[in-house]
Amino acid sequence: MLHQEIVVENQRLAREADIYRLVLKGTVADTAQPGQFVHIKVGSTLDPLLRRPISVAGINRPNGEITLFYRVAGRGTRLLAGVRPGESLSLLGPVGKGFTLPTAGELLLVAGGIGIFPLFALVEAVDRSQVKVKMLWGGANRDFLEAVGRETLFQMGVDYAVASLDGSMGQPGLVTDLLASELNKKGVLVPETGEGNLLGSDAGCPEDWGRKAGFSVAACGPRGMLRAVTELCIQAGAPVEVSLEERMACGVGACLGCVCTVRTTDGALERKRVCQDGPVFDGREVVWDEKD
Amino acid sequence: MKKIDLTTRLGPLELKNPVLTSSGTYGFGEEYRAFFELSRLGAITVKGITPLPRLGNPPPRVAETPAGMLNAVGLQNPGVEAFLTTYLPRLEKLNTPIIVNISGFSLDDYGLLASMMPDHSCIAALEVNISCPNIKEGGLAFGTDPKSAEQVLAVTRKNTKLPLIAKLSPNVTDIVPLAKAVANGGADIISLINTLLGMRIDLDTGRPVLGNIMGGLSGPAVLPVAVRMVYQVYKAVSLPIIGMGGISCWQDAVEFMLAGASAISVGTANFINPLAPLEIISGLEEYCRRKGYNRVGELVGLAHR
């Protein structure tokens, strides 16, 4: 579980000043799965104190390398940005429950902003001779989308559509608009009944839901987006997996710091650990309105 | 190489070494099984148990601070019945003395919890939590008033033969009256410190970071406060002490023992370095060897000379 891995690359992405690509060589690549993360010690002192959870974006087993992307957002990630190739980092992981890998049908990936990174690993892992994969991605503007992943999407040869908030690239608006039109196109989006919020209800989720729908959705991005994606998928009768983020301490499930609230099948509320029970959850079980 | 005697006697409780792991940071032990053989620890103190299951506080529950962190978990736990039926059998398999932290909201709760804990199992002692800062009622309230603290210990004492550890809160003006009170109430051992009440505010939202607004501060930042309190309690009370608060390396552990702790407990450091307890055990041994001590117990309270 604890590894020292060698930094192969730690580079700022062109034109997008605060996002870095970090490539690490070691043994995590042997077992890492799409949707899992590594818990990284940044700096060599006890301040900042805690490890940083970063999702795995690429797994290269033959080379023993994993690729991570992170945004410099505070002291910890700034320290991480200063690490040079050849140095080593302490990693705990791979941690958590990742995405389900479909073996047939269609997989719709929905990404908001830098939420695209863990979905790269999923695209790589899915057998695309058996599963039709399409990526829907939303970002602030053309500069962001170009710098962060459009090239990767192109190289992967995956079908994709983008949306930008300022309309400078793809469809103007949110990625959830893309998802709504995609679902409409398939004719699976049932109009809202007006009976209120479907979230957390059992409305229309029989056992064979996914099989009937013929496709599934995996999403990563801001919480509000994941909620909207889940709502659309419930209307469409599609299985949906979401990758959640939460402030985290131990990363091994011991401290109960990083919980999210879920409703179990018998209707009871439960607090699950994002680090071990997640970070990928069934969108339908997540209680999106967090109350005490 | 000279063999150092690491056995540690805490009143009625004898441990193979003085390094424990702290309640709330070590789950039910098994979360750390992947890192090393847990039977190498002096003891494991498991997550606080209440009479009924608790969901705990809404997230966010943790926030980083300078050389430390805040938590406001709010005693999320499966409740005593599920603990006894589901978790205790798994703890038996760890082959390590288990200390069960019990938390109540009334005197009756403490009595009930104590009476339900079996005398003959892997449970080596009960840690009576009168110092949780993250729940609205009970918890900290018992731990800041000497009379209540004494009553809690007395009720617990009446309901079990297991050794009792009273876990004290640092959120008081003077720790000594509390230490004396729990001694009078029947505690065999004193553990300190629990977390210091603190809070952080998010600059973007302008709102408190934690779902519970306030939380308990732990990590290296609290170490000198904890060392001071161990020193004061050692001077005032004759009960053995389990020292904790910001311990992340053997040097910290030695400092606590010199201040008067007979054993020490590793908490937040486990999150960053799961091997910290093992490194501390070997560091203590090496320190004794270098300084010419035969037993680790010889260090206890030396700072009071």
Side-chain angles (χ1 to χ4, degrees):
Chain A
M1 271 289 266
L2 263 185
H3 313 267
Q4 285 289 328
E5 301 227 332
I6 303 292
V7 177
V8 177
E9 183 194 321
N10 187 25
Q11 219 170 11
R12 205 157 70 172
L13 295 180
R15 284 192 289 166
E16 192 59 33
D18 54 358
I19 296 173
Y20 282 69
R21 176 172 51 230
L22 173 62
V23 180
L24 296 165
K25 195 176 180 70
T27 47
V28 171
D30 294 346
T31 54
Q33 297 293 331
Q36 288 190 306
F37 65 94
V38 288
H39 214 24
I40 302 187
K41 172 93 183 89
V42 293
S44 53
T45 68
L46 292 170
D47 187 39
L49 183 67
L50 299 172
R51 288 172 177 268
R52 272 27 183 189
I54 303 179
S55 3
V56 174
I59 305 155
N60 185 337
R61 291 229 165 86
N63 288 356
E65 289 178 357
I66 53 168
T67 302
L68 317 172
F69 292 89
Y70 61 93
R71 171 179 271 161
V72 175
R75 292 177 56 217
T77 39
R78 198 166 302 124
L79 273 171
L80 189 57
V83 174
R84 304 250 250 304
E87 293 178 0
S88 74
L89 284 170
S90 165
L91 262 66
L92 200 155
V95 187
K97 183 181 127 319
F99 291 105
T100 306
L101 282 186
T103 51
E106 187 176 350
L107 175 64
L108 210 48
L109 305 174
V110 188
I114 58 171
I116 195 167
F117 296 131
L119 298 179
F120 284 158
L122 185 53
V123 172
E124 278 181 345
V126 171
D127 179 357
R128 280 189 277 157
S129 68
Q130 304 299 317
V131 182
K132 187 167 172 251
V133 178
K134 182 165 186 182
M135 173 84 80
L136 308 176
W137 184 28
N141 50 48
R142 174 179 288 272
D143 280 354
F144 173 85
L145 294 165
E146 293 274 9
V148 164
R150 205 167 72 101
E151 199 181 325
T152 311
L153 287 175
F154 186 72
Q155 281 168 2
M156 284 175 159
V158 67
D159 187 16
Y160 70 90
V162 297
S164 56
L165 285 178
D166 69 354
S168 55
M169 190 176 186
Q171 181 178 308
L174 299 167
V175 69
T176 44
D177 302 335
L178 287 180
L179 177 62
S181 35
E182 193 72 26
L183 295 173
N184 268 323
K185 228 167 26 190
K186 294 180 189 300
V188 290
L189 199 55
V190 294
E192 280 199 70
T193 55
E195 278 168 22
N197 197 342
L198 287 163
L199 286 174
S201 76
D202 288 334
C205 41
E207 295 283 307
D208 60 349
W209 225 32
R211 192 159 50 80
K212 262 191 189 158
F215 69 95
S216 58
V217 174
C220 184
R223 192 174 170 91
M225 179 210 115
L226 296 179
R227 181 199 172 124
V229 167
T230 301
E231 233 162 311
L232 285 168
C233 290
I234 288 173
Q235 288 177 44
V240 54
E241 286 188 330
V242 295
S243 176
L244 297 183
E245 245 187 342
E246 190 49 70
R247 287 168 186 268
M248 193 175 285
C250 73
V252 302
C255 75
L256 307 182
C258 64
V259 295
C260 75
T261 312
V262 301
R263 195 178 292 281
T264 58
T265 42
D266 59 4
L269 291 182
E270 202 180 310
R271 290 229 160 89
K272 287 196 176 174
R273 305 159 301 180
V274 170
C275 68
Q276 288 290 318
D277 305 315
V280 176
F281 289 91
D282 180 338
R284 288 165 299 174
E285 70 170 354
V286 176
V287 175
W288 296 96
D289 279 322
E290 198 56 76
K291 293 187 211 87
D292 55 6
Chain B
M1 207 161 56
K2 191 171 76 177
K3 186 100 183 104
I4 305 297
D5 181 5
L6 291 176
T7 53
T8 299
R9 177 159 278 288
L10 299 157
L13 179 63
E14 188 164 343
L15 303 174
K16 63 181 157 304
N17 70 60
V19 178
L20 288 64
T21 55
S22 304
S23 179
T25 69
Y26 225 64
F28 291 101
E30 51 197 14
E31 292 84 353
Y32 284 95
R33 266 181 118 165
F35 298 100
F36 61 90
E37 177 52 55
L38 295 178
S39 63
R40 293 171 70 185
L41 294 169
I44 293 171
T45 312
V46 295
K47 179 70 188 165
I49 300 296
T50 54
L52 295 173
R54 282 177 61 88
L55 270 181
N57 292 325
R61 287 177 170 182
V62 294
E64 201 171 40
T65 65
M69 65 172 281
L70 292 170
N71 88 81
V73 171
L75 284 173
Q76 179 179 336
N77 81 94
V80 66
E81 274 175 35
F83 169 74
L84 293 173
T85 54
T86 309
Y87 293 89
L88 191 56
R90 271 143 62 180
L91 286 165
E92 294 282 359
K93 293 184 189 135
L94 299 183
N95 204 19
T96 312
I98 299 298
I99 297 169
V100 180
N101 181 290
I102 57 171
S103 284
F105 305 95
S106 66
L107 290 175
D108 287 349
D109 282 356
Y110 285 99
L112 174 78
L113 289 165
S115 68
M116 287 178 79
M117 296 298 167
D119 290 337
H120 301 286
S121 71
C122 59
I123 301 177
L126 300 182
E127 183 175 61
V128 185
N129 184 0
I130 51 168
S131 46
C132 179
N134 292 329
I135 47 175
K136 286 186 187 72
E137 62 293 305
L140 189 56
F142 289 117
T144 51
D145 170 42
K147 201 164 153 243
S148 312
E150 181 173 339
Q151 285 174 340
V152 170
L153 265 297
V155 164
T156 315
R157 178 73 293 162
K158 232 180 282 168
N159 283 281
T160 182
K161 291 189 174 61
L162 288 165
L164 289 185
I165 305 166
K167 185 163 184 179
L168 300 186
S169 168
N171 299 304
V172 291
T173 311
D174 185 1
I175 192 85
V176 170
L178 271 305
K180 288 182 171 162
V182 295
N184 286 337
D188 301 297
I189 302 159
I190 291 175
S191 65
L192 74 167
I193 59 174
N194 204 316
T195 55
L196 285 145
L197 199 56
M199 76 180 282
R200 295 220 78 176
I201 298 169
D202 187 301
L203 298 192
D204 289 329
T205 64
R207 300 267 313 134
V209 171
L210 295 172
N212 190 48
I213 301 174
M214 289 178 251
L217 178 65
S218 65
V222 309
L223 182 133
V225 178
V227 170
R228 181 261 296 181
M229 289 189 166
V230 167
Y231 187 90
Q232 288 177 308
V233 169
Y234 181 84
K235 216 188 214 13
V237 182
S238 61
L239 294 184
I241 296 168
I242 302 170
M244 65 188 84
I247 296 174
S248 63
C249 58
W250 67 264
Q251 291 92 334
D252 297 342
V254 170
E255 195 172 339
F256 272 82
M257 297 188 82
L258 296 174
S262 298
I264 63 94
S265 194
V266 183
T268 302
N270 292 306
F271 304 162
I272 300 96
N273 178 14
L275 302 179
L278 288 192
E279 292 169 9
I280 290 170
I281 294 169
S282 50
L284 278 173
E285 216 173 349
E286 184 51 39
Y287 176 81
C288 289
R289 205 172 280 132
R290 206 168 61 240
K291 290 284 190 178
Y293 300 114
N294 299 313
R295 297 181 307 110
V296 71
E298 292 174 55
L299 301 177
V300 179
L302 285 182
H304 293 263
R305 284 174 302 180

